[in-house]
């Protein structure tokens, strides 16, 4: 049994590029063989990226990140490493 999946990638410039004049054509980028009978086709297209219905939903959750300074590791002795 064979399995094929198509995955879409938005180019990094998709928000500032115009599909009709800035190379906005749809193009295959890579065919990845993920198993003996399975493949993933990676496609790039400005035409799909500009459709708001296809964009991921914004996360309303905010995460707090707390950083703490750790103690410095002990310095190696001048005598060299232990045997």
């Amino acid at each position: 049994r064979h399995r094929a999946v198509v995955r879409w990638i938005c180019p990094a410039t998709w928000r500032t590029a115009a599909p009709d004049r800035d190379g906005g054509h749809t193009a295959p980028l890579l065919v990845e063989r993920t198993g003996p009978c399975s493949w993933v086709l990676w496609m790039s297209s400005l035409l799909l990226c500009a459709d708001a219905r296809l964009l991921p939903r914004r996360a309303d959750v905010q995460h707090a990140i707390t950083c703490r300074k750790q103690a410095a590791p002990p310095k190696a002795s001048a005598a060299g490493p232990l045997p």
Side-chain angles (χ1 to χ4, degrees):
R1 183 168 189 221
H2 297 280
R3 178 175 179 244
V5 176
V6 177
R7 296 203 175 152
W8 298 89
I9 296 176
C10 295
T13 59
W14 75 269
R15 289 190 189 268
T16 58
D20 56 344
R21 60 168 202 248
D22 292 330
H25 56 276
T26 301
L29 296 176
L30 173 75
V31 176
E32 178 182 10
R33 189 169 187 180
T34 57
C37 297
S38 61
W39 294 267
V40 175
L41 172 62
W42 292 92
M43 299 287 293
S44 173
S45 176
L46 286 175
L47 301 173
L48 291 176
C49 299
D51 190 332
R53 296 173 295 173
L54 300 174
L55 296 176
R57 293 182 183 179
R58 290 186 58 174
D60 293 333
V61 179
Q62 294 183 359
H63 299 279
I65 299 174
T66 305
C67 299
R68 289 183 232 148
K69 187 174 181 178
Q70 292 183 333
K75 292 184 181 180
S77 68
L82 296 175

